[in-house]
Amino acid sequence: MPYTKRMEELVAERVPFVHAVVVRAQLPTAVSPGDDAIILSDGSIEGFVGGQCAESSVRTAALSALSDGRTVLLRVLPEGEPDFPDSPGAQVVVNHCLSGGALEIFLQPLLPPPVLWIVGSSPIATALAALAGPLDFTVRPADASPGPAGATAAVVCSHGRGEPEAIRAALEAGVGYVGLVASRRRGASVLGEMGLSEEERRRVHSPAGLGIGARTAPEIALSILAEIVTAIRTGDLARAGGR
């Protein structure tokens, strides 16, 4: 049966998972097209998409899909299986312990949107919040619970108000990208007085944003989001806090 309610619960709780659906099966096999399961990041499987042998292949492929966010069409074949119809682009696994039958399973990772913690009420902060939504970020204002905890990125654009405290809070919460909106000179002064370790300093970007010649608040916000998205897509920054 479809695990719709369980999936809704996991999405609401911001828990990453993979939804696996059998799309093709060849006898002898214990599953049928439409059978599905949920695979969590600890490797646990809720549901049924095959016996123990197929399950191990599904688990391995699902955990890989969670790490890179890409869907997978998985073909699990017994050794010497020549007759299962081909599917261009599918990931093929030959499972030597399958007693017979072949499976094709679609794996869709569902990852929580990255959280962007924004400190400040400046025009740049307003522009960041407006542009982040269409890019599938969850925007969290500085005063919203639980603060920077679990955030993928934090941007401090308070123009001198409480900047060291906000940066320190984001670093201690484990945020991978911390951007400070300031001139290069002022930013260096702020960070120089904080006594940051080398690892902490690498996580703080000042001036925040890519060098695109931005001048207006929306352009600066665009440059900052471009830098964050680049870090997420290149693997330097986890898509969701702590993942």
Side-chain angles (χ1 to χ4, degrees):
M1 68 170 191
Y3 285 78
T4 305
K5 184 175 181 181
R6 177 61 171 147
M7 290 169 62
E8 290 175 349
E9 292 173 351
L10 293 172
V11 168
E13 296 169 3
R14 294 184 54 82
V15 176
F17 65 95
V18 169
H19 185 214
V21 181
V22 177
V23 295
R24 190 157 60 181
Q26 184 181 68
L27 295 175
T29 182
V31 297
S32 303
D35 288 345
D36 70 333
I38 291 169
I39 301 93
L40 301 176
S41 58
D42 63 358
S44 60
I45 297 178
E46 302 176 12
F48 184 72
V49 286
Q52 182 177 357
C53 293
E55 190 176 84
S56 65
S57 297
V58 170
R59 179 182 291 107
T60 299
L63 294 179
S64 177
L66 276 177
S67 68
D68 61 23
R70 298 181 181 180
T71 58
V72 177
L73 183 60
L74 179 69
R75 305 179 75 228
V76 185
L77 307 180
E79 189 172 19
E81 175 59 59
D83 300 325
F84 198 64
D86 189 27
S87 293
Q91 176 179 321
V92 178
V93 174
V94 176
N95 198 314
H96 301 286
C97 73
L98 286 181
S99 58
L103 299 172
E104 197 164 83
I105 303 168
F106 182 68
L107 305 174
Q108 181 180 17
L110 287 99
L111 306 174
V115 172
L116 176 62
W117 189 58
I118 301 177
V119 179
S121 56
S122 65
I124 294 174
T126 301
L128 271 171
L131 292 176
L135 294 177
D136 195 31
F137 283 86
T138 295
V139 175
R140 184 185 297 164
D143 58 355
S145 179
T152 304
V155 180
V156 180
C157 39
S158 54
H159 295 295
R161 299 177 181 87
E163 290 171 334
E165 294 80 5
I167 293 169
R168 175 55 61 192
L171 291 172
E172 291 183 352
V175 179
Y177 174 102
V178 182
L180 173 61
V181 177
S183 67
R184 193 174 301 278
R185 181 175 180 179
R186 192 175 72 79
S189 176
V190 171
L191 300 178
E193 295 176 358
M194 291 185 62
L196 301 176
S197 67
E198 290 185 11
E199 187 276 334
E200 290 174 332
R201 184 62 186 87
R202 283 194 295 268
R203 288 155 58 195
V204 181
H205 299 251
S206 179
L210 298 180
I212 63 172
R215 294 185 179 181
T216 67
E219 289 173 351
I220 294 170
L222 175 64
S223 74
I224 295 170
L225 287 169
E227 187 172 49
I228 295 171
V229 170
T230 299
I232 292 174
R233 295 304 185 193
T234 58
D236 294 335
L237 186 66
R239 189 172 187 274
R243 310 191 196 285

